[in-house]
Amino acid sequence: MRLARFAVFAVLALSARPLMAAGEVTDFTLDNGMQVVVIEDHRAPVVVHMVWYRTGAADEPPGKSGIAHFLEHLMFKGTDERAAGELSKVVEANGGSDNAFTSYDYTAYFQRVAADRLALMMEMEADRMRDLALAPDDVATERSVILEERATRTDSEPGALFREELDAALYRNHPYGVPVIGWKGEMEGLTRDDALAFYRQFYAPNNAILIVAGDVLPDEVRALAEAQYGRLVPSEGIGPRARPQEPPSRAARRIVLEDARVAQPSLMRSYLAPAREPGDQGTAAALAYLARLLGGDAATSVLGRALQFDSQLAVHTSAGYSATSLDDTTFSVVVVPAEGVSLAEAEAALDAQLATFLKTGPDPVAFERLRMQIRAAEIYALDDVGEIADRYGRALTTGLSIGDVQAWPEALQAVTIDDVLTAARAVLDKRASVTGWLLPEGGEGVL
Amino acid sequence: MIRFASALAFLVLVALPARAEVDIQEVTSPGGLTAWLVEEHSIPFVALELRFRGGASLDAPGKRGAINLMTGLIEEGAGELDAQGFAEARDDLAASYRFDVGDDVLSVSARFLTENRDAAVALLQSALTDPRFDAQAIERVRGQVLAHLKSRETDPGALASAAFDRLAYGDHPYGSYYGGTPESVAALTRNDILDAFARTVARDRVVIAAVGDITESELGALVDTLLGGLPETGAPLPAELAFGATGGITVVPFETPQSVAQFGQPGISVEDPDFFAAFILNTVLGGVGFNNRLMEEVREKRGLTYGIGTYLVDSDYSESLVGSVSTVNPRMGETIDVVRGAWALMAREGLTAEELAGAKTYLTGAYPLRFDGNAPIARILVGMQLSGYPVDYVKTRNARIEAVTLQEANRVAAELFRPEALRFVVVGQPEGVQSTN
């Protein structure tokens, strides 16, 4: 999950009328350690300028949940040179849009503007990397805003509360079990000093990645980046990101959340799963296939065909896997039962399908079809360099290299049926899972 | 290609708007259909957008939700293929088709590789001319729709929209949710679905755009292949009506820590000569982005909400000026007061010269940034046609914004913004806020 600074989220999209091939990628590193990635797309005179920090909610000190995201909001509150809100106003005065987002492993800031405004964006972003200045009143007001954000996006949504509980049960030791937005009680106590301490610890050129995507040339980006970011002094003491890891899992866990606002019961099971590893992306690639084969399109996936078409026990099935994560990630399956079908029946049907799949493996025809679709997706991806920028940002903030990003499409094409089956047998182990039921108050009996 | 005019470029704070550089061709097919095209041969695929005017507002009396359910069934089997066979054929081609419907249009969004173009078009053609509407598929999709309708009954945002629309539009299709009710959807028969299809999908109401690796003559042939077999006409399009809600507050009690409010008043048509002035006014009050008056007053100064926005809604058959906001129950009263205050100030004093200039710079600068991919451009092109804009609109749009004067904007502000006509619908347990009438 990731949270954006405000709800009307600008669509991150850029695309290519190639002078050269669309999606040409160049990378280099500044002397102060700041990594730079340039993605060319000359179809429209637009650029996306992003700075990604290798820090997120999973790097927060205990008891300060939400501080990474709170700081992200406060980064718009001014510097020694600019007043609160001025950066966004300047972006708008230049016809652009800006926003930011926070996840467990990264925090990123971006502007989308006409390509000839890139230098100005860099100047402002470099300024707030080192010279944030926070007025106490601005901090207090913004804390109300993040509490309202939690009220809107989590406390008013039983489905979001359910996922929060599920993650908390799955991760017993690792901070992925703490919500990115924070626990309400801890958010209420976050202070200006907490935010500044987090800022000083993690916001530095040698902990940041600059990604520029759009109608730009690498040499010009390099000159501008050296002028704007190159003058920033790196921080000492940015060490390896060692979070508390999960101990071996021995017990299948279950949670039940009842909420009066739930109209439609559902069940979700999350398993701990490995993520893409530097130089070793094969298992993650196989799990990406597994998610699509089990719970992709309803008409072609294993769960969709069995539960929605054949037995008609479900109105919705899906499976999900987030491959890009610094530490162990999750593989999830969801079933929304049909009218009159209990969650127990739905879960039994789900378990039966998973057991059959683990025995017989995927249908070879379906497998080849999916491989071809994944290859085609690379062509469609060229229409949206914003998405390509996102791929690099997520990978480079989760321990992967540029080489890993570029090897990922091949890793996906190299997956075999046996790989999928091996990965499925390792991951679909209930002992490393939480099964959650989301129900109306009073349980299914009230429906 | 890159335009860093000089190393001093970053000192230039006010932008000269970049120009949207798309070359739109108006294509007439041999069969007489019109399509808008932007050729873009650098990536070997095409994004195709179709819109059928009327959308779910063409539901027959007593059949609310029929067109929505029918739309969910278009891809569930066609010709010789059942739902699974259709999905496999589509995936074999690495094509994608999306069918969607709303109050004003039924939309089809397709994407296919150049190497598979003919087969992908043939498959889509079968869905649009020969959908099966198998009994089993109807029951399956009906189950999904009913689950969705049930969830809306406990979703504060959906409850607020439903109550607001009922007040504003009564018995007109706009007054009710296009998905229908659990009762109306449960009662739909296969004949109702067939009738819904016949009412909606016809040649006389289709709007077409394509962007990508295709030429003018290829597109003309494609359009005839795809749509040549459709019936000439469907159900008559709905009637125009005025926004009917009056000023005041309606509270819909609902147990939740945070109340949701939807508010609005009569709006203005895109065909009105004052539309661009109104568009600028709304941008300053609560439009796109961050630096508008309502975000400043409600979020930045008071921390009352995570987000607030206002929108000029120019539907095909009515216009409104609406907004929405959420806040914890104890603070909804204050939030409503702040919104009303901002409305009254806009009516009384309009904009400052600085705000007008800022909004113009933003709107004219942001416009070219939208044209940033085959799929987004195709969506813009169908939107332009639905609004009745000419093919050169992309080139004249910014000039129309620049032409709005302060005097004109403030005259329109006094006419358009009517604080006494503002209706709030609040879902939740807002403290100290009562229904007025």
Side-chain angles (χ1 to χ4, degrees), chain A residues 49-356:
Chain A
H49 167 250
M50 317 183 88
V51 169
W52 295 66
Y53 292 95
R54 290 186 177 92
T55 189
D59 301 301
E60 293 166 343
K64 303 291 181 189
S65 63
I67 195 66
H69 170 250
F70 189 25
L71 173 61
E72 177 228 296
H73 280 232
L74 294 172
M75 285 288 283
F76 294 82
K77 293 301 182 189
T79 65
D80 57 347
E81 288 174 24
R82 291 187 194 278
E86 189 179 330
L87 183 146
S88 295
K89 288 197 174 79
V90 172
V91 174
E92 280 196 12
N94 280 276
S97 58
D98 71 325
N99 209 337
F101 47 85
T102 306
S103 186
Y104 283 111
D105 297 327
Y106 52 79
T107 311
Y109 300 82
F110 68 88
Q111 301 87 33
R112 204 164 157 271
V113 287
D116 59 1
R117 309 297 141 80
L118 178 60
L120 175 61
M121 301 302 116
M122 287 193 183
E123 192 249 330
M124 294 193 295
E125 200 61 79
D127 176 37
R128 70 173 162 176
M129 188 184 296
R130 286 314 222 173
D131 293 333
L132 185 64
L134 296 177
D137 281 358
D138 283 342
V139 174
T141 308
E142 200 62 25
R143 189 167 46 230
S144 299
V145 170
I146 58 167
L147 285 163
E148 287 292 339
E149 181 176 355
R150 189 185 154 92
T152 300
R153 300 176 63 170
T154 306
D155 299 322
S156 296
E157 299 282 344
L161 286 170
F162 177 61
R163 287 187 295 277
E164 188 173 274
E165 295 288 344
L166 205 76
D167 287 342
L170 185 66
Y171 290 99
R172 298 152 298 161
N173 200 45
H174 190 284
Y176 288 167
V178 176
V180 172
I181 186 91
W183 300 116
K184 189 176 176 210
E186 292 185 357
M187 292 167 73
E188 285 165 345
L190 295 176
T191 66
R192 178 174 178 274
D193 285 350
D194 293 332
L196 289 174
F198 197 81
Y199 175 69
R200 288 192 200 102
Q201 188 178 353
F202 293 114
Y203 282 50
N206 50 328
N207 201 36
I209 299 140
L210 169 66
I211 300 182
V212 179
D215 190 12
V216 292
L217 294 172
D219 284 350
E220 281 148 330
V221 174
R222 184 197 289 267
L224 291 169
E226 277 170 356
Q228 297 301 338
Y229 293 104
R231 61 192 163 82
L232 302 177
V233 180
S235 285
E236 287 177 23
I238 289 176
R241 300 167 77 185
R243 289 94 168 247
Q245 297 296 303
E246 282 301 302
S249 297
R250 299 190 178 87
R253 277 145 275 156
R254 303 189 70 81
I255 63 161
V256 177
L257 177 63
E258 293 187 5
D259 188 306
R261 296 166 295 181
V262 173
Q264 176 69 51
S266 61
L267 89 85
M268 179 168 182
R269 182 183 296 150
S270 289
Y271 302 88
L272 277 181
R276 294 161 68 190
E277 296 292 338
D280 176 14
Q281 306 186 89
T283 302
L287 290 170
Y289 274 75
L290 179 65
R292 296 271 297 268
L293 289 165
L294 284 179
D297 186 271
T300 53
S301 66
V302 169
L303 295 176
R305 285 194 165 202
L307 273 60
Q308 293 180 244
F309 279 77
D310 297 347
S311 64
Q312 307 215 9
L313 290 171
V315 293
H316 169 83
T317 57
S318 61
Y321 169 64
S322 4
T324 310
S325 174
L326 184 57
D327 295 312
D328 276 356
T329 182
T330 56
F331 187 98
S332 303
V333 286
V334 173
V335 181
V336 180
E339 184 79 28
V341 176
S342 72
L343 286 175
E345 288 171 79
E347 188 176 336
L350 168 68
D351 281 330
Q353 284 308 315
L354 294 179
T356 307

Side-chain angles (χ1 to χ4, degrees), chain B residues 340-352:
Chain B
R340 279 183 168 150
W343 225 263
L345 181 70
M346 186 62 91
R348 203 169 58 236
E349 296 180 13
L351 306 179
T352 65

Side-chain angles (χ1 to χ4, degrees), chain A residues 4-5 13 15 18 77 93-95 112 117 141 148-149 152-153 220 261 263 305 308 312 369 372 380 383, chain B residues 2-3 13 15 42 88 92 94 136 140 144 147 150 154 258 290 299-300 306 361 366 369 372 374-375:
Chain A
R5 177 167 137 259
S15 287
K77 293 301 182 189
N94 280 276
R112 204 164 157 271
R117 309 297 141 80
T141 308
E148 287 292 339
E149 181 176 355
T152 300
R153 300 176 63 170
E220 281 148 330
R261 296 166 295 181
R305 285 194 165 202
Q308 293 180 244
Q312 307 215 9
R369 186 180 290 128
M372 204 270 299
Y380 293 128
D383 199 35
Chain B
I2 193 154
R3 286 164 296 279
L13 284 186
S42 63
E88 288 171 354
D92 280 337
Q136 205 206 23
R140 192 175 61 254
Q144 293 164 0
K150 208 157 81 177
T154 54
Q258 196 184 41
F290 212 46
R299 172 168 156 158
E300 296 302 301
Y306 174 54
T361 317
L369 306 192
D372 65 348
N374 295 358

